[in-house]
Amino acid sequence: MIGKLQKKTYSFVLIFTMIFSLIAPFQEHVSKAAETITVAEAIANNSGTATVEGYIVGITNNGPKYQHSGPFSVATNIAIADSANETDVKKILPVQLPNNWIRTELNLVEHPENLGKKIQITGNLEAYFTAPGLKSPTGYSFGEVTEPTKVQAVTANPGGGTVVIGTKVALHTATEEAAIYFTVDGSVPTTSSTRYTEPIEINDPVTIKALAVKAGLENSEVAVFNYVIQHGVIRIHDIQGAGHFSPFADQNVADVEGIVTKVVDGSNFYMQDLQPDDDPNTSEGILVYKKSHGVKVGDVVKVSGQVKEWVLDGYAEKLQTDLPVTEINATRIVVTASNQPLPEPVIIGVDRIMPLEVIDNDGLTIFDPEEDGIDFFESLEGMLVQVNNPKVVAPQKYGEVIVVPENIPVNTTAGGLRISETDFNPERITIDIGDNKFIAKMGDHFQGSIQGVVSYGFSNYKILSDRAALPPLIEGANEREVTSIIPDEDQLTIASYNVENFSTKTDDGKVARLAEAIVTNLKQPDIVGLTEVQDNDGPTDSGTTDASQSAAKLIAKIEALGGPKYTYTDIAPEDKVDGGQPGGNIRVGFLYNEERVSLVPGTKGTATQAVGYEKGKLTLNPGRIDPNNPAFKSSRKPLAAQFEFNGESVIVVANHFNSKGGDLPLFGKVQPPVLNSEVQRMQIAAIVNNFVKDVQAKDPNANIVLLGDFNDFEFSNPLKALKGQELTNMIEKVPAEERYSYNYQGNAQVLDHILVSNNLADLTEVDIVHINSGFMEEHGRASDHDPVLIQTALKEPAKQEEPKYDQVYDLVGYKAKKLVIGPGNALIIMDKTSTITEGIWLKKSAVLKGEGLKKTRVVISSAQKGAIVDLTGTEVQEVFIEKDKIAEIRGAENVKAWSVDKKADTSHIKFTNSKGEEIPSPFASKVNEAAFDQAS
C-alpha cells in the first residue's frame, strides 16, 4: 500500500541540493519561455508552465494572507503582484522558493532589498497555500533597473505589539537616502514632523506613524505601529494558556524567562519555565526560533520577540490539517546563567494520567486534558517529560518508536495496541529518536526511562529524544507466525496477500521473504489473491502494463523453496489509470495451484470489459467488475475469477479499494476527523455487493469469496456496506487480540479482509498470519501487510428431509387454561394469538414452535424415558421440569426462565443450543438447583 511519503529522506535531497548549488550560480537565471504573462493572467489560468512578470510585494506564512513589510522571517516564498503597492490578496501570486540558489538569492529574510523589485520568474502554475500560485521555479531575472516613482514604506523593528519599558524601535525604508519623519501623538506625519535619526525609546503605550520622503519621488504611504507596554512579567504558561492556541498569538513579548531543555538545531530550541504555576492545563514549555541562537541546554535565558502559532514539519497539506506549535519568534535572547539543573520531567502515566480512549469528543471547544488525549498532549507542549520502562507497540519507522508507559495495558497478544470502533488509542506516545536504523518491533520494551520534550509534527504529537540517551531495549517474545490452519486434502485454502509494490525490480531478499511466507508460513494455499503487483518494469514509466514477468519471478522463487508451481492470472490495467506508484500500474491478481484447483474455462476479459454471471458461469474468466464505473477513478478494479475444486465451483474476487489518503488525521486541527476517502470506498463497496447479489439471485447456492486490501476496518461503513446481508466477514471471527493486519502510527488495525457467502461461513476457518505488520525487515518482514488465510469446505447444502410427526397441533387463536400433549413425536405450533394460561404439559417427545411460546410456560412431565424436547429457534417464557425421564432439551438457550420440581434430578439431562452444541446445564450447581426448587 502506498502511504504517506517518508518524511526523513531529506539527506539525499540535501546532498543533491548542495551539489546543484555549486553548479547553479554559473547557470543563466533567465527563463527561456517564449512569452511572459502578467500576475493577473497567471491567477486566472493557473496551470502549465509560464514566465510571470510582477513586483515582489512580500511573503506569506498562512496563505492567502500576506506580510508586506519587514522584518521578514519566512525564506521559503515570496509574493508578487502587478503593482508594487498591491495588498489585495486576490491580486497576489504566492511563489515557492525551493531549497536551492533561487531561495538563496530571492528570499526577503536575507535580501529585504528585493522588496518592490520587478521580477520575471519561470515555474509551474499550480495551487500554493490554497491559492493560485507558482511552484518549482527554474529561473528568474530582475526587470530593467528604472528609477522608482514612489518611496518604499517605512518598516519598524520591533514592528508593534507588546514591549517592555525602554524598548528601542528602529525605523527603516528600502529606498536609499530617503528621510523618515514620524509622530507619536496620533497625528499624520509630514516633513514638518520629527525627523528620524536614532531608535525611538518606548516608555508608554504609543502609536508611531512614519513617512519616508525623497526628492523627485512620491512620498511613501504612512506606516502605523502600535505599541503596548508589558506590565509585569509574562511567563511561558501565560503565553501557552489553557488551550491549543496562545492568547498572545501575533503579539510581541519581552524578557520571557526559561531554561533551555532541548536544542533542536541552530535555529530552534525549547525552554521551560523555572517558576511554574499550579495549573496542569497550561504548559510550562515553549519553542523558540532565532537563527544562530547560540544557546545550549542548561542556559537560563530571557527571550523577546513575537508569539506565533507555527505549523512545523508536515505533509503538503499540513496547513489545512495540522495543529500549530506555539513559538516565540525571537528578536533578542539574553543568557543570564549557564549549566543550571533542568526541571524535573513530568512522568506520563504517573504525574499526569493520560486518557486511554478519547482523542477528542467536543470538536476542540472544551479544553479537557483529563478526558481528551489531544488536549492532554497539548497541555505538555514544549515540556520535558519522561516515560517509564516504555513498551514498544509498533516497529520502528522514520526514526520513531511508538510506545506506552509500563503501567498502560496493551491489547494484542503480541504486545500491540489494536483499534476498535470507539477507541483509536490516544495513549500512544511517539518517541522521535532521529535514527531510522534503530531496530525495535512490537512487543519489545525498554529497561529504563526515556526523557524528551513534547513537540508536534506530521499530524502527531511526539517526544523529541536522543538515540544515544535511550535505555537498553529488551527483545520481546513476539515472533513471526506460521498459520494454525492444517491443510486438508478435502478443503480449499485461500489467502489474501498485499505484496507491496512487487515487480521484477524487487530486490532478491524481499522476493525470498515473500516466497518463504507462502511456502512455509501460509502452508502453500491453493489460491493466493495478490494486491500491489506492478508491471514488468516496476515504477519505470515506460507505458508497459503487463505483469507476467513480475509474477514469474515470485513463482520461480516459491518453486525453488519447495512450494508448488503456481499459475498466475490477472487483467492488466490501462496505463497510469489505476493509481499507485507512478509508472507501476499496480493491480490485483491470482496465484493458483493447478494440482489442486483449476480455472474454469472461459474468455479472459480486457481492462474495460465488465464481467457478469450467466448459467452458472462468469461471462469472462477472469473478468473485472464494472471497470468503467467512475467510482473506480484512480483505483484498482476488482477482479473476479471462477475456480473448480473437487468438482465444486467457487468465485473469488480480488480487491484493492482506494487508500485512506485524504482522510484528516486523528490528532489534527479538525475534530472529529473527516474521512474524505470513505465516499469512494462506499461507492465501490456498493458495486461489489451488487455483483454478489446478482450472482446469488441466479444461483442462491453459489460459493463466493471476496478478498484483498480494502483499506478500511471491519467496523467501518464501507465494510458494512460490502458485507450487507449476503456475506460474512471472516475477520470478525478472529479473536479481538489477534485482529490486525497493518500498523499505522502505532495503531494495529485490519485493512485486509476475506468475506465469504453466508452458505460457506459455518464451513470456514480463518487466520491472520502475523509476519509483517509488527516487525521490521531485520526481523524478516516482506511487506507492510500481514496475509489472511481461510480454509473452507465447498459442498452443496444438504437437502434436509421434512421431519414426520405422529401428531401436529396447529394452534391459531387457541384459548385454554391447560393443554396436555400425550402422543409422542408431536409438533406443537402456537401462534401469538393463542393463550394457554397454565401452560403446555408434555408427556413424551415433542417439538415446539411459534411466537405464542414467548408468553407460555412449558411443563416437562414426561412418562417416557429418553424423551427429547426440541425448542430450536423458539423463545419460551419458562420451562418447568416436573419429571426427570427427559433425556435432552434442544435449543435450551431460548428459554428465559427455568424451574424444577424438588424431586426431579436434572444431572443426567443433556442441554444443547440450536446448533446442536452441548451447553452447561442451567442447574449446574446445588446452589442453583436449590434456587429452582418448586413444589408440584
Side-chain angles (χ1 to χ4, degrees):
M1 168 183 177
I2 294 197
K4 300 287 190 181
L5 293 176
Q6 182 169 340
K7 66 179 183 178
K8 296 195 176 176
T9 56
Y10 56 78
S11 56
F12 173 80
V13 177
L14 179 59
I15 293 169
F16 179 85
T17 302
M18 291 172 66
I19 294 171
F20 186 74
S21 67
L22 296 175
I23 302 171
F26 300 97
Q27 307 299 314
E28 186 177 12
H29 292 179
V30 180
S31 166
K32 300 298 183 182
E35 60 179 354
T36 302
I37 64 174
T38 66
V39 171
E41 291 170 334
I43 292 172
N45 184 18
N46 198 234
S47 62
T49 301
T51 298
V52 184
E53 182 178 274
Y55 293 88
I56 300 176
V57 297
I59 56 95
T60 178
N61 56 23
N62 188 20
K65 296 179 181 178
Y66 299 92
Q67 179 183 342
H68 299 286
S69 60
F72 297 102
S73 59
V74 174
T76 55
N77 68 76
I78 56 174
I80 64 175
D82 287 325
S83 167
N85 298 310
E86 188 62 70
T87 59
D88 186 346
V89 296
K90 296 180 181 179
K91 298 179 180 180
I92 299 175
L93 188 78
V95 177
Q96 179 192 53
L97 300 181
N99 190 16
N100 57 28
W101 52 271
I102 292 181
R103 179 184 296 180
T104 301
E105 296 177 8
L106 291 186
N107 81 83
L108 296 180
V109 176
E110 296 172 298
H111 300 285
E113 70 275 11
N114 287 344
L115 185 69
K117 285 185 177 180
K118 189 176 185 179
I119 189 173
Q120 293 179 348
I121 188 163
T122 303
N124 299 329
L125 297 179
E126 58 182 291
Y128 185 40
F129 283 101
T130 72
L134 186 147
K135 298 177 72 173
S136 305
T138 56
Y140 77 91
S141 65
F142 286 118
E144 294 182 9
V145 179
T146 58
E147 285 296 321
T149 60
K150 188 173 185 177
V151 179
Q152 291 294 306
V154 177
T155 60
N157 185 18
T162 303
V163 296
V164 295
I165 292 177
T167 296
K168 293 184 178 181
V169 177
L171 302 181
H172 175 75
T173 176
T175 302
E176 293 183 5
E177 299 180 358
I180 298 175
Y181 297 89
F182 70 94
T183 64
V184 293
D185 59 2
S187 63
V188 177
T190 68
T191 54
S192 299
S193 303
T194 304
R195 182 168 179 170
Y196 174 79
T197 57
E198 61 182 0
I200 306 162
E201 186 171 314
I202 307 297
N203 293 305
D204 295 291
V206 69
T207 297
I208 297 176
K209 295 183 178 182
L211 175 76
V213 176
K214 184 176 181 180
L217 297 179
E218 181 183 349
N219 294 348
S220 74
E221 301 290 337
V222 173
V224 180
F225 309 99
N226 294 303
Y227 297 90
V228 178
I229 295 299
Q230 176 176 305
H231 295 289
V233 176
I234 293 179
R235 308 213 66 87
I236 293 174
H237 46 253
D238 299 323
I239 297 171
Q240 285 283 11
H244 288 272
F245 302 92
S246 171
F248 285 81
D250 298 322
Q251 295 184 34
N252 285 339
V253 292
D255 292 340
V256 180
E257 188 177 47
I259 186 169
V260 178
T261 55
K262 174 76 175 178
V263 174
V264 180
D265 53 35
S267 299
N268 296 274
F269 67 90
Y270 286 87
M271 67 177 187
Q272 187 163 325
D273 206 323
L274 289 170
Q275 299 181 37
D277 63 9
D278 294 326
D279 185 355
N281 293 352
T282 58
S283 170
E284 303 294 341
I286 197 165
L287 175 65
V288 179
Y289 171 82
K290 191 178 191 302
K291 294 188 70 173
S292 303
H293 55 69
V295 303
K296 61 183 183 297
V297 173
D299 285 350
V300 178
V301 295
K302 289 186 176 181
V303 176
S304 301
Q306 188 178 37
V307 176
K308 289 285 187 181
E309 289 292 348
W310 197 257
V311 177
L312 299 181
D313 296 341
Y315 305 111
E317 64 277 11
K318 66 181 182 179
L319 294 179
Q320 289 74 49
T321 60
D322 288 10
L323 286 166
V325 169
T326 304
E327 72 170 25
I328 300 176
N329 195 333
T331 56
R332 184 178 73 246
I333 298 174
V334 177
V335 178
T336 61
S338 294
N339 301 316
Q340 299 301 300
L342 300 184
E344 289 295 319
V346 173
I347 302 176
I348 295 178
V350 178
D351 299 332
R352 305 271 183 94
I353 306 302
M354 61 201 315
L356 300 181
E357 184 172 349
V358 176
I359 292 178
D360 177 81
N361 58 9
D362 51 46
L364 298 182
T365 59
I366 301 172
F367 194 70
D368 187 1
E370 292 185 359
E371 182 175 73
D372 294 355
I374 197 168
D375 298 344
F376 174 83
F377 285 106
E378 175 66 25
S379 73
L380 294 169
E381 181 186 272
M383 291 184 67
L384 189 62
V385 298
Q386 177 172 306
V387 186
N388 287 344
N389 300 312
K391 296 183 286 190
V392 180
V393 298
Q396 181 275 121
K397 193 173 185 180
Y398 304 145
E400 296 174 344
V401 183
I402 302 175
V403 303
V404 294
E406 62 180 338
N407 60 341
I408 299 297
V410 294
N411 60 9
T412 77
T413 53
L417 278 178
R418 186 185 69 88
I419 65 171
S420 68
E421 189 166 8
T422 59
D423 184 0
F424 281 77
N425 302 314
E427 64 268 35
R428 291 170 292 124
I429 301 173
T430 299
I431 310 292
D432 189 343
I433 61 173
D435 181 2
N436 58 16
K437 295 182 179 179
F438 184 78
I439 299 174
K441 68 180 185 301
M442 179 189 293
D444 294 347
H445 72 276
F446 289 94
Q447 187 173 341
S449 301
I450 295 177
Q451 291 187 5
V453 171
V454 177
S455 184
Y456 184 99
F458 288 89
S459 307
N460 262 314
Y461 287 96
K462 57 185 178 180
I463 295 176
L464 304 182
S465 190
D466 297 312
R467 166 68 180 88
L470 293 179
L473 180 72
I474 307 302
E475 188 170 2
N478 185 20
E479 295 183 351
R480 299 173 74 240
E481 298 175 349
V482 173
T483 181
S484 59
I485 292 177
I486 300 173
D488 186 315
E489 183 178 346
D490 297 322
Q491 297 198 61
L492 178 70
T493 52
I494 303 175
S496 175
Y497 201 178
N498 182 322
V499 291
E500 193 181 13
N501 292 320
F502 183 87
S503 74
T504 58
K505 301 293 182 69
T506 299
D507 68 82
D508 291 341
K510 176 173 177 175
V511 177
R513 292 192 298 273
L514 287 170
E516 183 181 16
I518 291 171
V519 173
T520 303
N521 303 82
L522 296 178
K523 298 179 181 176
Q524 306 168 30
D526 301 316
I527 300 170
V528 183
L530 300 177
T531 57
E532 290 198 20
V533 177
Q534 293 189 337
D535 60 37
N536 290 336
D537 57 13
T540 303
D541 190 3
S542 63
T544 186
T545 59
D546 179 67
S548 58
Q549 295 173 21
S550 296
K553 184 172 185 177
L554 181 58
I555 289 170
K557 181 53 89 173
I558 291 172
E559 191 175 13
L561 293 177
K565 184 175 179 58
Y566 282 103
T567 303
Y568 178 73
T569 188
D570 71 5
I571 293 178
E574 296 177 279
D575 189 32
K576 293 188 286 292
V577 169
D578 283 11
Q581 191 173 9
N585 289 310
I586 57 172
R587 84 288 311 278
V588 295
F590 296 102
L591 296 177
Y592 60 98
N593 180 1
E594 288 193 285
E595 293 184 2
R596 295 273 295 162
V597 297
S598 61
L599 189 67
V600 173
T603 302
K604 181 177 181 177
T606 67
T608 56
Q609 286 179 300
V611 68
Y613 184 77
E614 299 293 343
K615 298 179 181 179
K617 293 181 66 176
L618 294 179
T619 58
L620 302 168
N621 196 28
R624 302 177 109 192
I625 296 175
D626 200 5
N628 301 311
N629 195 303
F632 292 110
K633 182 179 180 181
S634 298
S635 187
R636 283 63 55 188
K637 285 66 177 172
L639 182 69
Q642 190 170 10
F643 298 94
E644 188 173 281
F645 172 75
N646 286 351
E648 299 291 340
S649 171
V650 59
I651 296 172
V652 186
V653 182
N655 302 267
H656 189 186
F657 284 15
N658 63 292
S659 79
K660 294 182 72 65
D663 289 357
L664 298 188
L666 294 175
F667 280 92
K669 69 178 181 181
V670 178
Q671 296 291 335
V674 179
L675 305 180
N676 294 305
S677 70
E678 185 180 82
V679 175
Q680 186 177 5
R681 284 194 299 281
M682 286 294 291
Q683 295 170 345
I684 294 174
I687 292 168
V688 179
N689 179 264
N690 285 335
F691 172 80
V692 172
K693 286 178 179 175
D694 181 66
V695 172
Q696 291 184 338
K698 296 166 182 175
D699 182 2
N701 294 321
N703 300 312
I704 304 172
V705 177
L706 308 185
L707 58 81
D709 176 1
F710 294 88
N711 269 314
D712 226 327
F713 320 126
E714 69 274 24
F715 49 78
S716 68
N717 291 324
L719 264 295
K720 290 177 182 177
L722 178 68
K723 180 173 68 170
Q725 301 299 316
E726 296 75 31
L727 300 163
T728 299
N729 190 351
M730 295 305 301
I731 291 297
E732 296 178 38
K733 296 182 179 293
V734 176
E737 62 273 13
E738 295 284 343
R739 198 182 304 162
Y740 62 93
S741 69
Y742 188 75
N743 201 295
Y744 183 65
Q745 295 180 344
N747 269 334
Q749 55 200 252
V750 177
L751 298 183
D752 308 83
H753 302 259
I754 299 184
L755 298 88
V756 301
S757 48
N758 292 335
N759 60 312
L760 294 178
D762 290 339
L763 307 171
T764 303
E765 61 177 316
V766 62
D767 186 20
I768 302 176
V769 187
H770 299 120
I771 57 176
N772 295 321
S773 70
F775 303 91
M776 296 175 63
E777 279 191 21
E778 288 79 359
H779 304 111
R781 172 187 177 126
S783 169
D784 50 353
H785 290 249
D786 291 325
V788 183
L789 181 71
I790 64 165
Q791 181 170 266
T792 188
L794 300 183
K795 60 182 180 181
E796 292 185 2
K799 294 182 179 179
Q800 297 182 350
E801 294 184 4
E802 287 292 327
K804 296 179 180 179
Y805 301 100
D806 295 334
Q807 187 76 37
V808 177
Y809 296 83
D810 193 359
L811 309 179
V812 178
Y814 183 80
K815 311 291 183 185
K817 181 177 180 182
K818 179 177 181 181
L819 175 63
V820 179
I821 306 297
N825 193 26
L827 170 64
I828 303 101
I829 306 171
M830 181 178 177
D831 82 334
K832 62 182 178 181
T833 64
S834 300
T835 303
I836 305 174
T837 55
E838 292 186 8
I840 300 173
W841 261 252
L842 303 178
K843 296 297 184 181
K844 297 180 180 177
S845 296
V847 175
L848 293 90
K849 298 181 179 180
E851 291 190 40
L853 293 167
K854 291 181 180 180
K855 56 182 181 180
T856 304
R857 186 188 198 212
V858 175
V859 180
I860 298 176
S861 185
S862 179
Q864 180 186 36
K865 192 171 183 180
I868 297 174
V869 173
D870 192 341
L871 307 172
T872 300
T874 301
E875 185 177 328
V876 180
Q877 181 188 58
E878 180 190 359
V879 169
F880 170 50
I881 302 176
E882 183 180 51
K883 297 183 179 180
D884 56 15
K885 291 185 178 181
I886 182 77
E888 183 178 351
I889 300 177
R890 298 173 180 170
E893 82 277 14
N894 298 316
V895 179
K896 300 306 175 187
W898 294 87
S899 56
V900 62
D901 188 274
K902 61 185 178 181
K903 297 179 181 179
D905 179 10
T906 64
S907 61
H908 66 282
I909 301 174
K910 181 179 180 182
F911 295 87
T912 62
N913 62 22
S914 296
K915 294 182 179 180
E917 301 165 337
E918 188 168 357
I919 61 176
S921 165
F923 315 105
S925 69
K926 291 182 179 180
V927 174
N928 287 341
E929 203 158 317
F932 286 118
D933 281 353
Q934 178 174 326
S936 58

